[in-house]
Amino acid sequence: MARAAAVTPPGRLPASGDRSGAVLSRLQLLVTRKLDGLLQGDYAGLLPGPGSEAGESREYRPGDDVRRMDWPVTARTTMPHVRRTVADRELETWLAVDLSASLDFGTGQWLKRDVVVAAAAALVHLTVRGGNRIGAVVGTGAPGAARAGWRGTPPPAGPGTLVRLPARAGRKEAQGLLRTIAGTEIRPGRSDLGALVDMLNRPPRRRGVAVVISDFLAPPPQWGRPLRKLRVRHDVLAIEVVDPRELELPDVGVLPVVDPETGELHEVQTADPRLRRRYADAAAAQRAAVATELRAAGAAHLRLRTDRDWLLDMVRFVAAQRHARTRGTTR
């Protein structure tokens, strides 16, 4: 799907340069002010889902994981019970940050890349405040694509550039991780989201939280299997970043659009209502396929848009996850 060349909106987060540190500091202040006091609770990380330590038992409800059945309590009470679990107090969180060329686009208040960096900052804040460790793998476009004259010739296919940042505890280390993510240069070309997710599977790690941040424009068969494999051992959160122009086209006459991953340029007659309807239908089908694949993988799904308050959406999501965990449980 071709994307229109983006115009940098006011307040955009720079990808690199001398101002990146100052912008990250302001972003950290924004995250701290809005999240502190709203998301306080008895969990160690962003996903307040199942942990590995045994907790209290409660009666079984339809939809509960039968693997958590508490058979001794079930036998004593003659009523099916499941065993609650609590999160480990020292959680290890890994981020898979997709910085493909398609992320360097946006027609709302932010570029998609900005939302990716902002979401990573919020995740880091929620993780390190409990003394937990956080690491990341970062992927961008195919190396050498920029030198290949990519606007005239499609860039080479491949896994792209993948960088691993080891998991460490402490705010200083977390800020260094954020600076590395924000300073990563987006390369032209397609990166392999499946290979990026698979980096979280190797080497095998202790059970923790894995977060994949991407626009998920890569075909679901490319990343679905690695994500399902990741879910076997970890709680998985998928953060999908979307721009409104990827969902529908405005009626603005002839619109030149360029695919940032391949460099292909097209002119689209947006005054044609049938074309706009087909585009919207195709975009809806694409997003539905992404949601279906994430649901099949057992991943929690959070969608952030460049034209919405991404931080408020994150607050609502975490609050909803926490409410779902504690609803109907005994304390």
Short mmCIF file of all heavy atoms in Angstrom, two decimals, residues 147-212:
data_model
loop_
_atom_site.label_atom_id
_atom_site.label_comp_id
_atom_site.label_asym_id
_atom_site.label_seq_id
_atom_site.Cartn_x
_atom_site.Cartn_y
_atom_site.Cartn_z
N ARG A 147 22.25 3.45 -0.64
CA ARG A 147 23.34 3.59 -1.60
C ARG A 147 22.97 3.02 -2.96
O ARG A 147 23.68 3.21 -3.92
CB ARG A 147 24.59 2.87 -1.06
CG ARG A 147 25.10 3.44 0.24
CD ARG A 147 26.46 2.85 0.58
NE ARG A 147 26.38 1.41 0.76
CZ ARG A 147 26.13 0.84 1.92
NH1 ARG A 147 25.91 1.58 2.99
NH2 ARG A 147 26.09 -0.48 2.03
N ALA A 148 21.83 2.31 -3.02
CA ALA A 148 21.47 1.64 -4.26
C ALA A 148 20.58 2.48 -5.16
O ALA A 148 20.07 1.99 -6.15
CB ALA A 148 20.76 0.32 -3.95
N GLY A 149 20.42 3.77 -4.79
CA GLY A 149 19.54 4.60 -5.60
C GLY A 149 18.12 4.11 -5.50
O GLY A 149 17.43 3.89 -6.48
N TRP A 150 17.63 3.98 -4.27
CA TRP A 150 16.39 3.24 -4.01
C TRP A 150 15.16 3.89 -4.60
O TRP A 150 14.16 3.23 -4.80
CB TRP A 150 16.22 3.03 -2.52
CG TRP A 150 15.92 4.28 -1.76
CD1 TRP A 150 16.78 5.28 -1.43
CD2 TRP A 150 14.67 4.66 -1.21
NE1 TRP A 150 16.15 6.25 -0.73
CE2 TRP A 150 14.85 5.90 -0.57
CE3 TRP A 150 13.39 4.07 -1.19
CZ2 TRP A 150 13.83 6.57 0.07
CZ3 TRP A 150 12.38 4.74 -0.55
CH2 TRP A 150 12.58 5.97 0.07
N ARG A 151 15.18 5.20 -4.88
CA ARG A 151 13.98 5.82 -5.43
C ARG A 151 13.74 5.40 -6.87
O ARG A 151 12.64 5.50 -7.37
CB ARG A 151 14.08 7.35 -5.33
CG ARG A 151 13.97 7.84 -3.91
CD ARG A 151 13.60 9.30 -3.86
NE ARG A 151 13.43 9.74 -2.47
CZ ARG A 151 12.32 9.59 -1.78
NH1 ARG A 151 11.28 9.01 -2.35
NH2 ARG A 151 12.23 10.02 -0.54
N GLY A 152 14.77 4.93 -7.54
CA GLY A 152 14.57 4.47 -8.90
C GLY A 152 14.50 2.96 -9.00
O GLY A 152 13.89 2.40 -9.88
N THR A 153 15.19 2.29 -8.06
CA THR A 153 15.27 0.83 -8.07
C THR A 153 14.83 0.29 -6.73
O THR A 153 15.25 0.81 -5.69
CB THR A 153 16.73 0.38 -8.35
OG1 THR A 153 17.16 0.98 -9.55
CG2 THR A 153 16.82 -1.12 -8.42
N PRO A 154 13.97 -0.72 -6.70
CA PRO A 154 13.55 -1.28 -5.41
C PRO A 154 14.75 -1.72 -4.60
O PRO A 154 15.71 -2.28 -5.13
CB PRO A 154 12.68 -2.47 -5.81
CG PRO A 154 12.19 -2.14 -7.17
CD PRO A 154 13.31 -1.38 -7.83
N PRO A 155 14.77 -1.45 -3.29
CA PRO A 155 15.89 -1.83 -2.45
C PRO A 155 15.97 -3.33 -2.28
O PRO A 155 14.99 -4.04 -2.50
CB PRO A 155 15.57 -1.15 -1.11
CG PRO A 155 14.09 -1.02 -1.12
CD PRO A 155 13.70 -0.81 -2.55
N PRO A 156 17.13 -3.82 -1.89
CA PRO A 156 17.27 -5.27 -1.72
C PRO A 156 16.42 -5.78 -0.58
O PRO A 156 16.20 -5.11 0.42
CB PRO A 156 18.77 -5.43 -1.39
CG PRO A 156 19.19 -4.11 -0.84
CD PRO A 156 18.36 -3.09 -1.56
N ALA A 157 15.89 -6.98 -0.74
CA ALA A 157 15.10 -7.61 0.31
C ALA A 157 16.04 -8.23 1.33
O ALA A 157 17.17 -8.58 1.04
CB ALA A 157 14.18 -8.67 -0.27
N GLY A 158 15.57 -8.39 2.53
CA GLY A 158 16.39 -8.99 3.56
C GLY A 158 15.88 -8.63 4.93
O GLY A 158 14.92 -7.90 5.09
N PRO A 159 16.55 -9.15 5.96
CA PRO A 159 16.08 -8.90 7.31
C PRO A 159 16.30 -7.49 7.78
O PRO A 159 15.78 -7.09 8.82
CB PRO A 159 16.90 -9.90 8.15
CG PRO A 159 18.15 -10.11 7.36
CD PRO A 159 17.73 -10.02 5.92
N GLY A 160 17.09 -6.68 7.05
CA GLY A 160 17.35 -5.32 7.47
C GLY A 160 18.42 -5.29 8.55
O GLY A 160 19.18 -6.23 8.76
N THR A 161 18.51 -4.17 9.24
CA THR A 161 19.49 -3.98 10.30
C THR A 161 18.83 -4.26 11.64
O THR A 161 17.87 -3.58 12.01
CB THR A 161 20.05 -2.55 10.27
OG1 THR A 161 20.65 -2.30 8.99
CG2 THR A 161 21.09 -2.35 11.36
N LEU A 162 19.32 -5.23 12.37
CA LEU A 162 18.76 -5.63 13.66
C LEU A 162 19.82 -5.43 14.74
O LEU A 162 20.95 -5.89 14.60
CB LEU A 162 18.32 -7.09 13.63
CG LEU A 162 17.33 -7.49 12.52
CD1 LEU A 162 17.05 -8.98 12.58
CD2 LEU A 162 16.04 -6.69 12.64
N VAL A 163 19.44 -4.71 15.79
CA VAL A 163 20.36 -4.40 16.88
C VAL A 163 19.75 -4.87 18.19
O VAL A 163 18.57 -4.63 18.45
CB VAL A 163 20.65 -2.88 16.95
CG1 VAL A 163 21.57 -2.56 18.11
CG2 VAL A 163 21.25 -2.39 15.64
N ARG A 164 20.56 -5.54 19.02
CA ARG A 164 20.09 -6.01 20.32
C ARG A 164 20.69 -5.13 21.42
O ARG A 164 21.92 -4.90 21.45
CB ARG A 164 20.49 -7.47 20.55
CG ARG A 164 19.90 -8.07 21.82
CD ARG A 164 20.50 -9.45 22.11
NE ARG A 164 20.34 -10.35 21.00
CZ ARG A 164 19.28 -11.12 20.79
NH1 ARG A 164 18.29 -11.07 21.64
NH2 ARG A 164 19.22 -11.93 19.76
N LEU A 165 19.85 -4.63 22.32
CA LEU A 165 20.29 -3.83 23.47
C LEU A 165 20.02 -4.66 24.72
O LEU A 165 18.86 -4.94 25.04
CB LEU A 165 19.52 -2.51 23.52
CG LEU A 165 19.54 -1.67 22.24
CD1 LEU A 165 18.63 -0.46 22.37
CD2 LEU A 165 20.96 -1.24 21.92
N PRO A 166 21.04 -5.08 25.45
CA PRO A 166 20.85 -6.02 26.57
C PRO A 166 19.96 -5.44 27.66
O PRO A 166 19.89 -4.22 27.87
CB PRO A 166 22.28 -6.26 27.08
CG PRO A 166 23.08 -5.11 26.58
CD PRO A 166 22.46 -4.69 25.29
N ALA A 167 19.26 -6.34 28.36
CA ALA A 167 18.35 -5.94 29.43
C ALA A 167 19.15 -5.56 30.67
O ALA A 167 19.99 -6.33 31.14
CB ALA A 167 17.37 -7.07 29.74
N ARG A 168 18.86 -4.36 31.20
CA ARG A 168 19.53 -3.88 32.41
C ARG A 168 18.52 -3.17 33.30
O ARG A 168 17.49 -2.70 32.83
CB ARG A 168 20.68 -2.93 32.07
CG ARG A 168 21.82 -3.58 31.29
CD ARG A 168 23.01 -2.65 31.23
NE ARG A 168 24.17 -3.27 30.60
CZ ARG A 168 24.51 -3.13 29.34
NH1 ARG A 168 23.76 -2.37 28.55
NH2 ARG A 168 25.57 -3.71 28.84
N ALA A 169 18.82 -3.10 34.56
CA ALA A 169 17.99 -2.38 35.52
C ALA A 169 18.56 -0.99 35.74
O ALA A 169 19.74 -0.73 35.48
CB ALA A 169 17.92 -3.14 36.84
N GLY A 170 17.71 -0.09 36.22
CA GLY A 170 18.18 1.26 36.54
C GLY A 170 17.70 2.29 35.54
O GLY A 170 17.60 2.03 34.35
N ARG A 171 17.43 3.49 36.05
CA ARG A 171 16.92 4.56 35.18
C ARG A 171 17.97 5.07 34.21
O ARG A 171 17.65 5.44 33.09
CB ARG A 171 16.39 5.71 36.05
CG ARG A 171 15.16 5.34 36.86
CD ARG A 171 14.55 6.54 37.54
NE ARG A 171 13.34 6.17 38.26
CZ ARG A 171 12.14 6.06 37.70
NH1 ARG A 171 11.98 6.32 36.41
NH2 ARG A 171 11.09 5.71 38.42
N LYS A 172 19.22 5.11 34.65
CA LYS A 172 20.28 5.59 33.76
C LYS A 172 20.41 4.68 32.55
O LYS A 172 20.52 5.15 31.40
CB LYS A 172 21.61 5.65 34.52
CG LYS A 172 22.76 6.18 33.69
CD LYS A 172 24.04 6.26 34.52
CE LYS A 172 25.21 6.75 33.66
NZ LYS A 172 26.46 6.82 34.46
N GLU A 173 20.39 3.38 32.79
CA GLU A 173 20.49 2.43 31.68
C GLU A 173 19.25 2.52 30.78
O GLU A 173 19.34 2.41 29.56
CB GLU A 173 20.64 1.01 32.21
CG GLU A 173 21.99 0.70 32.83
CD GLU A 173 22.16 1.34 34.19
OE1 GLU A 173 21.15 1.83 34.73
OE2 GLU A 173 23.30 1.33 34.71
N ALA A 174 18.07 2.71 31.40
CA ALA A 174 16.84 2.82 30.62
C ALA A 174 16.85 4.06 29.74
O ALA A 174 16.40 4.02 28.59
CB ALA A 174 15.63 2.84 31.56
N GLN A 175 17.38 5.18 30.26
CA GLN A 175 17.46 6.38 29.45
C GLN A 175 18.43 6.19 28.28
O GLN A 175 18.21 6.70 27.18
CB GLN A 175 17.91 7.56 30.31
CG GLN A 175 16.85 8.04 31.29
CD GLN A 175 15.58 8.48 30.59
OE1 GLN A 175 15.61 9.22 29.61
NE2 GLN A 175 14.45 8.00 31.08
N GLY A 176 19.50 5.45 28.52
CA GLY A 176 20.43 5.16 27.43
C GLY A 176 19.77 4.31 26.36
O GLY A 176 19.99 4.52 25.15
N LEU A 177 18.94 3.35 26.78
CA LEU A 177 18.21 2.53 25.81
C LEU A 177 17.27 3.39 24.97
O LEU A 177 17.19 3.25 23.75
CB LEU A 177 17.44 1.44 26.56
CG LEU A 177 16.60 0.47 25.73
CD1 LEU A 177 16.67 -0.94 26.32
CD2 LEU A 177 15.14 0.91 25.68
N LEU A 178 16.57 4.33 25.62
CA LEU A 178 15.66 5.22 24.90
C LEU A 178 16.40 6.11 23.92
O LEU A 178 15.94 6.33 22.80
CB LEU A 178 14.88 6.08 25.88
CG LEU A 178 13.59 5.50 26.46
CD1 LEU A 178 12.96 6.49 27.42
CD2 LEU A 178 12.62 5.14 25.36
N ARG A 179 17.54 6.61 24.33
CA ARG A 179 18.33 7.46 23.42
C ARG A 179 18.78 6.68 22.20
O ARG A 179 18.81 7.21 21.08
CB ARG A 179 19.52 8.05 24.16
CG ARG A 179 19.17 9.19 25.11
CD ARG A 179 20.42 9.94 25.54
NE ARG A 179 21.31 9.10 26.31
CZ ARG A 179 21.26 8.96 27.63
NH1 ARG A 179 20.33 9.62 28.33
NH2 ARG A 179 22.11 8.19 28.27
N THR A 180 19.12 5.41 22.40
CA THR A 180 19.53 4.59 21.26
C THR A 180 18.36 4.37 20.30
O THR A 180 18.52 4.46 19.08
CB THR A 180 20.06 3.24 21.76
OG1 THR A 180 21.18 3.46 22.61
CG2 THR A 180 20.49 2.37 20.58
N ILE A 181 17.17 4.09 20.85
CA ILE A 181 16.00 3.89 20.00
C ILE A 181 15.67 5.16 19.23
O ILE A 181 15.44 5.16 18.02
CB ILE A 181 14.80 3.43 20.84
CG1 ILE A 181 15.06 2.03 21.42
CG2 ILE A 181 13.52 3.41 20.01
CD1 ILE A 181 13.99 1.56 22.38
N ALA A 182 15.64 6.31 19.95
CA ALA A 182 15.28 7.58 19.32
C ALA A 182 16.32 8.01 18.30
O ALA A 182 15.99 8.69 17.31
CB ALA A 182 15.10 8.67 20.37
N GLY A 183 17.57 7.64 18.51
CA GLY A 183 18.63 8.05 17.60
C GLY A 183 18.88 7.09 16.45
O GLY A 183 19.75 7.34 15.62
N THR A 184 18.13 5.99 16.38
CA THR A 184 18.31 5.03 15.29
C THR A 184 17.88 5.63 13.96
O THR A 184 16.77 6.16 13.84
CB THR A 184 17.51 3.75 15.55
OG1 THR A 184 17.98 3.14 16.76
CG2 THR A 184 17.64 2.76 14.40
N GLU A 185 18.74 5.58 13.00
CA GLU A 185 18.43 6.12 11.67
C GLU A 185 17.53 5.14 10.92
O GLU A 185 17.82 3.96 10.81
CB GLU A 185 19.71 6.35 10.88
CG GLU A 185 19.48 6.84 9.46
CD GLU A 185 20.75 6.90 8.65
OE1 GLU A 185 21.82 6.52 9.20
OE2 GLU A 185 20.70 7.29 7.47
N ILE A 186 16.42 5.67 10.42
CA ILE A 186 15.52 4.83 9.61
C ILE A 186 16.12 4.66 8.23
O ILE A 186 16.41 5.63 7.54
CB ILE A 186 14.12 5.45 9.52
CG1 ILE A 186 13.40 5.31 10.87
CG2 ILE A 186 13.30 4.79 8.42
CD1 ILE A 186 11.96 5.76 10.85
N ARG A 187 16.33 3.41 7.83
CA ARG A 187 16.91 3.12 6.52
C ARG A 187 15.81 2.80 5.52
O ARG A 187 14.80 2.19 5.88
CB ARG A 187 17.87 1.93 6.61
CG ARG A 187 19.08 2.16 7.51
CD ARG A 187 19.91 0.89 7.61
NE ARG A 187 21.08 1.07 8.44
CZ ARG A 187 22.26 1.45 7.97
NH1 ARG A 187 22.40 1.69 6.68
NH2 ARG A 187 23.29 1.59 8.78
N PRO A 188 15.99 3.18 4.26
CA PRO A 188 15.01 2.78 3.24
C PRO A 188 14.98 1.26 3.09
O PRO A 188 15.93 0.56 3.43
CB PRO A 188 15.53 3.47 1.97
CG PRO A 188 16.47 4.53 2.45
CD PRO A 188 17.07 4.01 3.71
N GLY A 189 13.86 0.79 2.58
CA GLY A 189 13.75 -0.64 2.32
C GLY A 189 12.89 -1.34 3.34
O GLY A 189 12.45 -0.77 4.33
N ARG A 190 12.62 -2.59 3.07
CA ARG A 190 11.76 -3.40 3.93
C ARG A 190 12.60 -4.15 4.96
O ARG A 190 13.63 -4.73 4.64
CB ARG A 190 10.98 -4.42 3.09
CG ARG A 190 10.09 -3.80 2.02
CD ARG A 190 9.32 -4.89 1.28
NE ARG A 190 8.59 -4.34 0.15
CZ ARG A 190 7.39 -3.80 0.24
NH1 ARG A 190 6.81 -3.73 1.41
NH2 ARG A 190 6.78 -3.33 -0.83
N SER A 191 12.13 -4.15 6.18
CA SER A 191 12.75 -4.98 7.21
C SER A 191 11.84 -6.16 7.51
O SER A 191 10.64 -6.11 7.25
CB SER A 191 13.00 -4.16 8.49
OG SER A 191 11.79 -3.65 8.98
N ASP A 192 12.42 -7.21 8.03
CA ASP A 192 11.69 -8.45 8.29
C ASP A 192 11.19 -8.43 9.72
O ASP A 192 11.95 -8.64 10.68
CB ASP A 192 12.62 -9.64 8.05
CG ASP A 192 11.87 -10.97 8.07
OD1 ASP A 192 10.78 -11.02 8.67
OD2 ASP A 192 12.37 -11.94 7.48
N LEU A 193 9.89 -8.16 9.91
CA LEU A 193 9.32 -8.10 11.25
C LEU A 193 9.39 -9.47 11.92
O LEU A 193 9.59 -9.55 13.14
CB LEU A 193 7.88 -7.60 11.18
CG LEU A 193 7.14 -7.46 12.52
CD1 LEU A 193 7.88 -6.51 13.45
CD2 LEU A 193 5.71 -6.97 12.28
N GLY A 194 9.23 -10.53 11.15
CA GLY A 194 9.34 -11.87 11.72
C GLY A 194 10.71 -12.13 12.32
O GLY A 194 10.83 -12.71 13.40
N ALA A 195 11.77 -11.71 11.61
CA ALA A 195 13.12 -11.89 12.13
C ALA A 195 13.34 -11.06 13.38
O ALA A 195 14.04 -11.48 14.32
CB ALA A 195 14.14 -11.51 11.06
N LEU A 196 12.74 -9.86 13.42
CA LEU A 196 12.87 -9.01 14.60
C LEU A 196 12.21 -9.67 15.81
O LEU A 196 12.80 -9.73 16.90
CB LEU A 196 12.23 -7.65 14.33
CG LEU A 196 12.27 -6.63 15.46
CD1 LEU A 196 13.71 -6.19 15.73
CD2 LEU A 196 11.41 -5.41 15.13
N VAL A 197 10.99 -10.18 15.64
CA VAL A 197 10.30 -10.85 16.74
C VAL A 197 11.06 -12.10 17.17
O VAL A 197 11.17 -12.40 18.37
CB VAL A 197 8.85 -11.20 16.34
CG1 VAL A 197 8.17 -12.04 17.41
CG2 VAL A 197 8.05 -9.94 16.07
N ASP A 198 11.62 -12.81 16.20
CA ASP A 198 12.32 -14.06 16.53
C ASP A 198 13.57 -13.81 17.35
O ASP A 198 14.04 -14.72 18.05
CB ASP A 198 12.67 -14.79 15.24
CG ASP A 198 12.79 -16.30 15.44
OD1 ASP A 198 11.98 -16.85 16.21
OD2 ASP A 198 13.70 -16.90 14.86
N MET A 199 14.13 -12.57 17.31
CA MET A 199 15.29 -12.26 18.13
C MET A 199 14.94 -12.32 19.62
O MET A 199 15.83 -12.51 20.46
CB MET A 199 15.84 -10.88 17.78
CG MET A 199 16.60 -10.82 16.46
SD MET A 199 17.37 -9.20 16.19
CE MET A 199 18.66 -9.21 17.45
N LEU A 200 13.65 -12.15 19.94
CA LEU A 200 13.24 -12.26 21.34
C LEU A 200 13.13 -13.71 21.78
O LEU A 200 13.03 -13.99 22.98
CB LEU A 200 11.89 -11.56 21.54
CG LEU A 200 11.85 -10.06 21.24
CD1 LEU A 200 10.49 -9.50 21.57
CD2 LEU A 200 12.93 -9.32 22.01
N ASN A 201 13.11 -14.63 20.82
CA ASN A 201 13.06 -16.07 21.14
C ASN A 201 14.44 -16.68 21.31
O ASN A 201 14.55 -17.80 21.81
CB ASN A 201 12.32 -16.83 20.04
CG ASN A 201 10.82 -16.55 20.03
OD1 ASN A 201 10.19 -16.54 21.08
ND2 ASN A 201 10.26 -16.32 18.85
N ARG A 202 15.47 -15.98 20.90
CA ARG A 202 16.84 -16.52 20.95
C ARG A 202 17.74 -15.50 21.63
O ARG A 202 17.81 -14.35 21.18
CB ARG A 202 17.36 -16.84 19.55
CG ARG A 202 16.54 -17.83 18.77
CD ARG A 202 17.31 -18.30 17.54
NE ARG A 202 17.74 -17.18 16.74
CZ ARG A 202 17.06 -16.69 15.71
NH1 ARG A 202 15.89 -17.21 15.39
NH2 ARG A 202 17.51 -15.68 15.02
N PRO A 203 18.46 -15.93 22.68
CA PRO A 203 18.36 -17.24 23.33
C PRO A 203 17.11 -17.30 24.22
O PRO A 203 16.55 -16.25 24.55
CB PRO A 203 19.63 -17.29 24.17
CG PRO A 203 19.90 -15.87 24.51
CD PRO A 203 19.47 -15.07 23.31
N PRO A 204 16.68 -18.50 24.63
CA PRO A 204 15.52 -18.60 25.51
C PRO A 204 15.77 -17.85 26.82
O PRO A 204 16.86 -17.93 27.40
CB PRO A 204 15.39 -20.11 25.75
CG PRO A 204 16.08 -20.74 24.58
CD PRO A 204 17.21 -19.81 24.24
N ARG A 205 14.78 -17.10 27.27
CA ARG A 205 14.91 -16.30 28.48
C ARG A 205 13.86 -16.73 29.50
O ARG A 205 12.89 -17.39 29.17
CB ARG A 205 14.74 -14.81 28.17
CG ARG A 205 15.76 -14.26 27.19
CD ARG A 205 15.52 -12.78 26.94
NE ARG A 205 16.52 -12.23 26.06
CZ ARG A 205 16.45 -12.28 24.73
NH1 ARG A 205 15.40 -12.82 24.17
NH2 ARG A 205 17.41 -11.78 23.98
N ARG A 206 14.07 -16.29 30.74
CA ARG A 206 13.08 -16.53 31.78
C ARG A 206 11.78 -15.85 31.39
O ARG A 206 11.76 -14.88 30.65
CB ARG A 206 13.56 -15.99 33.13
CG ARG A 206 13.92 -14.53 33.09
CD ARG A 206 14.21 -13.98 34.47
NE ARG A 206 13.01 -13.90 35.27
CZ ARG A 206 12.95 -13.29 36.46
NH1 ARG A 206 14.04 -12.73 36.95
NH2 ARG A 206 11.83 -13.24 37.12
N ARG A 207 10.69 -16.38 31.93
CA ARG A 207 9.38 -15.84 31.60
C ARG A 207 9.31 -14.37 31.98
O ARG A 207 9.74 -13.95 33.04
CB ARG A 207 8.29 -16.62 32.34
CG ARG A 207 6.89 -16.13 32.03
CD ARG A 207 5.85 -17.02 32.71
NE ARG A 207 4.51 -16.51 32.50
CZ ARG A 207 3.78 -16.75 31.41
NH1 ARG A 207 4.29 -17.51 30.45
NH2 ARG A 207 2.58 -16.24 31.28
N GLY A 208 8.74 -13.55 31.08
CA GLY A 208 8.63 -12.12 31.32
C GLY A 208 7.60 -11.51 30.39
O GLY A 208 6.63 -12.16 29.99
N VAL A 209 7.81 -10.26 30.03
CA VAL A 209 6.91 -9.52 29.15
C VAL A 209 7.66 -9.17 27.87
O VAL A 209 8.80 -8.71 27.91
CB VAL A 209 6.39 -8.24 29.83
CG1 VAL A 209 5.56 -7.41 28.85
CG2 VAL A 209 5.55 -8.59 31.04
N ALA A 210 7.03 -9.42 26.74
CA ALA A 210 7.58 -9.05 25.44
C ALA A 210 6.61 -8.10 24.76
O ALA A 210 5.41 -8.38 24.69
CB ALA A 210 7.81 -10.29 24.57
N VAL A 211 7.11 -6.97 24.27
CA VAL A 211 6.29 -5.95 23.64
C VAL A 211 6.80 -5.71 22.22
O VAL A 211 7.99 -5.44 22.03
CB VAL A 211 6.32 -4.63 24.43
CG1 VAL A 211 5.37 -3.61 23.81
CG2 VAL A 211 5.96 -4.86 25.89
N VAL A 212 5.91 -5.84 21.25
CA VAL A 212 6.26 -5.60 19.85
C VAL A 212 5.59 -4.31 19.41
O VAL A 212 4.37 -4.19 19.46
CB VAL A 212 5.81 -6.78 18.95
CG1 VAL A 212 6.23 -6.53 17.51
CG2 VAL A 212 6.40 -8.10 19.46
#
